[in-house]
Amino acid sequence: MDASALKGRRIIVGVGGGIAAYKACELVRELGRAGAEVRVAMTEAARQFVTPLTFQALVGHPPLTDYFDPAQEGNFGHLDLARWGELYVVAPATADLIAKIRAGFGGDAVTTSLLAFKGPVVLAPAMNVAMWENARTQENVESLLKEARFSTVGPGAGMLACGDVGSGRLADVGAIVSAVVARLGGGPLTGKTVLVTAGPTREYLDPVRFISNPSTGKMGLALAHEARALGAKVTVVLGPVGAVDRTGLEVVDVVSAEDMAREVLSRVETADAFIATAAVSDWRPETRAPQKVKKGEGPENLKLVRTPDVLLEASRKVAGRAKRPVLVGFAAETERVVEHAREKLERKELDAIVANDVTAEGAGFGTDTNRVTVISRSGPDRVLQGSKRAVAGEILSLLLVSPRG
Ligand code: CTP
């Protein structure tokens, strides 16, 4: 990450009352180390976890904790804070705090200063997985994200403080710092171009019938949005998936495997990374009838031919190049998942492959969550689990932001 992007930047850290509040101490220290000027606001609940004195020692200024305290308000109150800051990070953003921000409450130092703040806000949610998955919480987050001013980082996937496993862990401090840098106009992938394939392909046998699969493109789009949030220029070559969020992405719509191959091959040489998540149909009908085939005249058997392997052809095209993009494949498997994925890693000469057991609960086609194993040429296999967005963020940080080996 280009930490110099933070030199002299004025950042407010709003601390909510969750067990992850202690990590906010590390966050303000890292922001300070990167050269930012930091001021802290704490909710009353946050003070149950960390004392204001801790932040004062780390930042060099007392945090705003009580907007009714004349001494605090007279010195540097909530309105001064809101005017001073260039960017507001809320970490941890608890379910309660997110709900209050969404509703426009202003009953504590964090929400009042946020109400008066006009700049970009980065929310770093952290809570129990059930609270995170609660429809109310999701609705609150989605509603805030409709405003371009708001963005989220995390929550990460893994073991939570309460012992549950899933999404809800505060994003790594490094990821939060990266999100701040990205919002301020830089990011660890700034200047990089990332090419992604996503969704299914359709192979038509006549104008109204096709061979396809149930892919919804969610994993690929999650990777695309995360890469964009990290500063990359992102192109998605997207099969037919219906309405999706295209904000900030260059989307090239395609239908068949052949279309997808053509669009990818014309772009892969200039990309810094190519991530193939598309569920490309491996077969297509040998012929495509120009008119709808009538029941009576249809063939008893359908003759199929192979479609291009988009990833394999892209890999061959850039093989041996001095500036070869990082190649990442996905492997949708139903058995001997890691073994089959490794075979694909070798055969398609990839840098890494993300293996996905599509039969596992909460994984695969159409789900919002995923459980995957990241297999790369260097470093041990890593199992990641959580929302597709959280898993996407971790895949990118493992393979593109701080590659192993
Ligand atoms: N892929 C591709 N073009 C194809 C088939 C697959 O680009 N025609 C890419 C996928 O996007 C994925 C990887 O190759 O990144 C592996 O896809 P998968 O369907 O799991 O494997 P296949 O190569 O099709 O092998 P098999 O059918 O034997 O499982």
Side-chain angles (χ1 to χ4, degrees):
M1 181 202 55
D2 180 12
S4 64
L6 290 180
K7 219 168 172 48
R9 308 303 292 261
R10 299 182 307 280
I11 295 163
I12 308 167
V13 178
V15 185
I19 181 64
Y22 77 93
K23 292 193 194 158
C25 302
E26 208 187 315
L27 173 65
V28 299
R29 206 187 48 185
E30 285 305 314
L31 291 169
R33 273 195 188 150
E37 284 182 48
V38 183
R39 295 282 173 103
V40 175
M42 301 175 77
T43 64
E44 184 165 354
R47 284 185 281 152
Q48 305 294 323
F49 291 92
V50 190
T51 70
L53 197 60
T54 308
F55 285 109
Q56 182 165 347
L58 290 168
V59 170
H61 296 276
L64 184 72
T65 56
D66 183 355
Y67 70 108
F68 285 131
D69 176 359
Q72 285 196 22
E73 278 300 305
N75 179 23
F76 197 80
H78 68 287
L79 296 179
D80 301 304
L81 188 66
R83 277 192 288 264
W84 172 87
E86 286 178 73
L87 180 140
Y88 206 126
V89 195
V90 184
T94 59
D96 177 71
L97 198 45
I98 290 171
K100 284 178 175 153
I101 296 168
R102 190 244 169 135
F105 282 111
D108 58 65
V110 175
T111 50
T112 38
S113 52
L114 252 177
L115 267 182
F117 182 70
K118 293 189 181 144
V121 181
V122 176
L123 302 170
M127 64 197 74
N128 164 270
V129 56
M131 292 168 80
W132 172 248
E133 286 172 358
N134 185 294
R136 200 66 65 239
T137 305
Q138 288 299 315
E139 192 191 310
N140 289 335
V141 172
E142 273 166 32
S143 159
L144 286 167
L145 289 180
K146 280 191 190 130
E147 264 184 70
R149 222 155 62 75
F150 284 89
S151 59
T152 51
V153 51
M159 174 77 89
L160 305 179
C162 53
D164 284 354
V165 175
S167 294
R169 203 162 46 84
L170 186 73
D172 289 342
V173 168
I176 302 175
V177 175
S178 297
V180 168
V181 173
R183 284 311 298 273
L184 287 171
L189 298 183
T190 299
K192 305 274 185 214
T193 303
V194 175
L195 180 63
V196 179
T197 61
T201 63
R202 282 184 189 172
E203 313 302 330
Y204 278 86
L205 49 128
D206 72 12
V208 295
R209 301 185 179 96
F210 54 80
I211 297 174
S212 193
N213 61 68
S215 168
T216 53
K218 278 186 179 160
M219 192 63 222
L221 287 160
L223 281 156
H225 283 294
E226 285 292 318
R228 178 77 196 103
L230 294 169
K233 180 175 171 296
V234 182
T235 303
V236 186
V237 181
L238 183 65
V241 290
V244 292
D245 180 7
R246 298 167 173 240
T247 318
L249 309 174
E250 184 200 6
V251 179
V252 181
D253 293 292
V254 296
V255 175
S256 68
E258 254 142 58
D259 297 343
M260 188 173 272
R262 189 182 58 248
E263 298 297 344
V264 165
L265 294 176
S266 70
R267 290 173 171 82
V268 69
E269 285 167 297
T270 52
D272 295 288
F274 172 42
I275 308 177
T277 73
V280 184
S281 177
D282 290 318
W283 306 91
R284 68 170 170 81
E286 186 181 37
T287 53
R288 175 177 174 164
Q291 305 300 335
K292 182 179 170 189
V293 178
K294 293 293 182 192
K295 263 196 293 295
E297 63 195 33
E300 290 285 300
N301 297 304
L302 203 55
K303 186 145 191 312
L304 299 176
V305 293
R306 291 294 305 273
T307 55
D309 185 320
V310 182
L311 180 55
L312 182 65
E313 291 197 4
S315 174
R316 286 191 178 143
K317 185 156 188 181
V318 297
R321 296 285 163 91
K323 194 183 155 288
R324 175 182 168 277
V326 175
L327 298 178
V328 181
F330 269 66
E333 306 291 350
T334 55
E335 52 154 8
R336 308 210 322 261
V337 175
V338 172
E339 190 186 324
H340 281 147
R342 258 187 209 293
E343 181 275 320
K344 287 175 191 171
L345 174 84
E346 295 302 334
R347 180 161 48 86
K348 302 194 186 187
E349 291 192 32
L350 308 178
D351 297 286
I353 192 150
V354 182
N356 198 345
D357 180 350
V358 285
T359 63
E361 197 185 321
F365 291 134
T367 59
D368 285 318
T369 56
N370 215 349
R371 184 174 187 282
V372 301
T373 307
V374 180
I375 301 159
S376 77
R377 291 191 176 269
S378 49
D381 296 355
R382 282 277 304 264
V383 176
L384 306 174
Q385 183 167 5
S387 69
K388 285 190 171 169
R389 194 76 191 248
V391 169
E394 300 206 17
I395 290 171
L396 292 177
S397 77
L398 272 177
L399 301 178
L400 301 189
V401 176
S402 45
R404 301 174 293 207

